[in-house]
Amino acid sequence: MADISYLDDVAATRAGHDYKRALLAALAPTGAHTVLDIGCGPGTDLPALAALAGTTVGVDHDPTMVAEARRRTAALPDVRVLTADAHALPLPDHSVDRARADRVLQHVADPLRVLTEVRRVLRAGGLAAFAEPDWETLVVDPGDLDTGRTLARYLRTDVVRNAVVGRQLPRLAEEAGLEVRSATATAPVFRDFTEADRVFGLTRTAERAVRAGGLTRAEVDQWLTALTAGPFLASVVLSAVVVVKR
Ligand SMILES: C[S@@+](CC[C@H](N)C(=O)[O-])C[C@H]1O[C@@H](n2cnc3c(N)ncnc32)[C@H](O)[C@@H]1O
């Protein structure tokens, strides 16, 4: 479960800033629109949406996130934050003009059902935008390749529920009856170990893998020592998909 400072840190990176700005531009909300942010977390993107939209609704199933999102948006008019499950949105049919879900589908029990809910609440002609990483594409350098691969596999199988939903988004959106307007992928590159460690949870995941028996303590120590020794690179593919409801 992501914590609030982690989400703030990701949003503050150059890569986080860039893809969030691109999602907002694709949705192009106006004062005539009701905009929904599914899995809004601590309200990371609600102020930017509220600055453009007529009404902004954030939804998250975690009461701690909802409380923080409400605190951050308390001074903004026409923002509501609801505690609810993305699989059963507490909104009427055809009541939303724009929707977004940012790194949420990777965590939900049934991404297709959430997309079907998005279709239900969108008005005809309404747009929705999604961004999801594809954790199978996580690469780091330097460090032993096999250890890095084992860690990426562990992340995919034991840590993130829908670790490759990024590549599945266009197909799932079409299965949900949404028309795909654009599907793009970017691979932001991090050259600073500390920043990459914060965003990708390299140390945290490596420690979990040791506890689970997937990697030995010696393998992880050696790997982390190599990563912090000098020049460094980490990257992951981030998929962004914009859909329209016909
Ligand atoms: C990685 S965080 C992203 C938060 C925010 N969108 C951002 O970009 O900072 C994922 C969020 O989705 C929420 N979430 C996960 N599963 C959910 C579900 N089934 N229904 C509603 N919210 C959910 C989590 O509580 C968390 O706040």
Side-chain angles (χ1 to χ4, degrees):
M1 178 61 63
D3 65 29
I4 291 172
S5 64
Y6 166 77
L7 295 171
D8 288 344
D9 286 351
V10 172
T13 63
R14 164 57 52 194
H17 178 261
D18 287 353
Y19 89 80
K20 282 177 177 293
R21 200 177 48 183
L23 281 190
L24 185 63
L27 288 178
T30 73
H33 289 155
T34 294
V35 179
L36 170 65
D37 190 14
I38 300 164
C40 65
T44 321
D45 299 287
L46 294 178
L49 293 170
L52 300 171
T55 300
T56 305
V57 182
V59 166
D60 204 288
H61 70 167
D62 181 339
T64 307
M65 293 295 178
V66 169
E68 180 62 12
R70 283 185 179 147
R71 193 188 67 77
R72 291 185 185 186
T73 56
L76 301 175
D78 302 318
V79 177
R80 280 187 299 146
V81 187
L82 310 173
T83 310
D85 191 322
H87 300 85
L89 294 169
L91 298 167
D93 297 357
H94 322 300
S95 59
V96 163
D97 302 283
R98 300 287 186 263
R100 75 190 288 286
D102 183 346
R103 293 168 299 133
V104 178
L105 296 178
Q106 63 178 331
H107 299 298
V108 305
D110 186 347
L112 178 58
R113 199 164 129 214
V114 174
L115 289 165
T116 305
E117 272 295 89
V118 170
R119 183 176 188 282
R120 179 183 70 75
V121 300
L122 273 179
R123 292 200 176 96
L127 301 177
F130 307 92
E132 297 292 339
D134 187 322
W135 289 110
E136 197 169 54
T137 66
L138 177 64
V139 291
V140 293
D141 181 79
D144 180 67
L145 282 178
D146 283 338
T147 304
R149 286 182 188 127
T150 303
L151 187 102
R153 195 166 53 245
Y154 177 72
L155 193 65
R156 208 170 68 236
T157 54
D158 290 57
V159 180
V160 183
R161 196 178 220 162
N162 307 307
V164 298
V165 73
R167 75 182 72 169
Q168 299 165 341
L169 272 173
R171 171 173 58 81
L172 292 174
E174 284 180 14
E175 283 175 21
L178 294 159
E179 183 180 306
V180 175
R181 176 176 269 198
S182 68
T184 55
T186 51
V189 168
F190 293 80
R191 297 296 321 281
D192 178 68
F193 172 78
T194 306
E195 187 181 49
D197 196 27
R198 190 73 182 120
V199 171
F200 298 137
L202 301 173
T203 306
R204 192 174 62 238
T205 306
E207 294 298 338
R208 284 177 68 168
V210 172
R211 286 199 295 277
L215 288 169
T216 67
R217 161 65 50 203
E219 283 170 331
V220 161
D221 286 350
Q222 213 173 26
W223 190 68
L224 290 172
T225 302
L227 293 189
T228 49
F232 170 85
L233 181 147
S235 184
V236 76
V237 169
L238 182 76
S239 294
V241 171
V242 180
V243 301
V244 57
K245 174 177 170 177
R246 292 296 179 202

